[in-house]
């Protein structure tokens, strides 16, 4: 046990997180849950048109894991489109590519994922105070963000 989960890196959080087919009563509606990573995989591969290798690197996962996320995401979207189901984008094990920090004097700045791993910030770049803290990802829907680590 005690094995660390591999955190997928996500550059973009969808602003719209619920899709519902028109004209289907709620009682007959089946909901599909698309994880943030699956949505990110589809975004990188199908929307931005990147190679799988490049997508996997961006998400900090192996190619085979990326392929799994992509396939499962595509299958869910296809199911929703063809069978008229609702899609809810939610949850998953992800880490934002940028972490936002704030100092005690209310300066805010973004720290790239790569920098966070190697040399986490110690001081505010504006006023040099060591009293800094990481902020949660922006947006009211995403306060709960990734599962697991932040909740302990
Ligand atoms: Zn400051």
């Amino acid at each position: 046990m005690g094995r660390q989960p591999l955190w997928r890196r996500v550059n973009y959080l969808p602003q719209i997180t619920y899709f519902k087919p028109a004209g289907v009563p709620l009682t007959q509606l089946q909901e599909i849950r698309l994880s943030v990573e699956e949505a990110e995989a589809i975004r990188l591969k199908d929307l931005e048109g990147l190679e799988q290798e490049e997508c996997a690197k961006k998400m900090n996962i192996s190619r085979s894991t990326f392929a799994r996320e992509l396939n499962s995401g595509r299958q869910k979207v296809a199911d929703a489109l063809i069978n008229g189901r609702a899609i809810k984008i939610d949850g998953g094990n992800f880490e934002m590519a940028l972490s936002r920090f704030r100092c005690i004097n209310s300066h805010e700045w973004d720290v790239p994922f790569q920098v966070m791993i190697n040399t986490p910030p110690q001081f505010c770049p504006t006023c040099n105070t060591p009293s800094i803290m990481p902020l949660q990802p922006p947006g009211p829907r995403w306060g709960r963000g990734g599962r697991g680590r932040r909740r302990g």
Side-chain angles (χ1 to χ4, degrees):
M1 304 296 123
R3 193 167 145 256
Q4 286 282 86
L6 187 58
W7 288 81
R8 291 112 158 93
R9 196 186 317 173
V10 168
N11 281 284
Y12 175 84
L13 288 177
Q15 296 303 300
I16 306 292
T17 56
Y18 203 88
F19 298 85
K20 178 185 174 300
V24 180
L26 268 176
T27 50
Q28 290 171 28
L29 200 62
Q30 265 192 301
E31 188 180 285
I32 292 177
R33 195 171 155 279
L34 193 69
S35 74
V36 171
E37 301 99 295
E38 287 166 341
E40 175 77 347
I42 292 173
R43 185 184 74 85
L44 291 171
K45 187 73 182 72
D46 294 340
L47 201 59
E48 299 210 345
L50 302 179
E51 296 297 323
Q52 283 213 10
E53 183 93 44
E54 207 175 338
C55 298
K57 254 185 221 158
K58 275 187 185 284
M59 290 182 70
N60 199 31
I61 55 182
S62 71
R63 258 185 81 157
S64 58
T65 305
F66 178 81
R68 263 203 314 277
E69 297 280 1
L70 181 64
N71 287 337
S72 109
R74 279 175 172 171
Q75 199 163 17
K76 288 176 182 177
V77 171
D79 186 15
L81 278 183
I82 305 303
N83 297 319
R85 306 192 202 289
I87 298 178
K88 183 180 190 185
I89 304 180
D90 195 13
N93 294 319
F94 66 91
E95 180 85 272
M96 287 300 290
L98 289 176
S99 292
R100 196 156 183 84
F101 277 76
R102 179 190 282 165
C103 83
I104 199 169
N105 298 317
S106 298
H107 302 120
E108 286 186 18
W109 70 102
D110 291 320
V111 180
F113 187 83
Q114 217 53 44
V115 174
M116 275 291 294
I117 292 177
N118 298 322
T119 51
Q122 310 283 327
F123 303 99
C124 169
T126 307
C127 67
N128 274 327
T129 175
S131 305
I132 62 173
M133 60 179 294
L135 298 179
Q136 297 293 321
R141 284 167 199 273
W142 298 104
R144 44 212 164 94
R147 261 189 313 193
R149 195 163 67 174
R150 287 192 193 96
R151 282 183 196 167

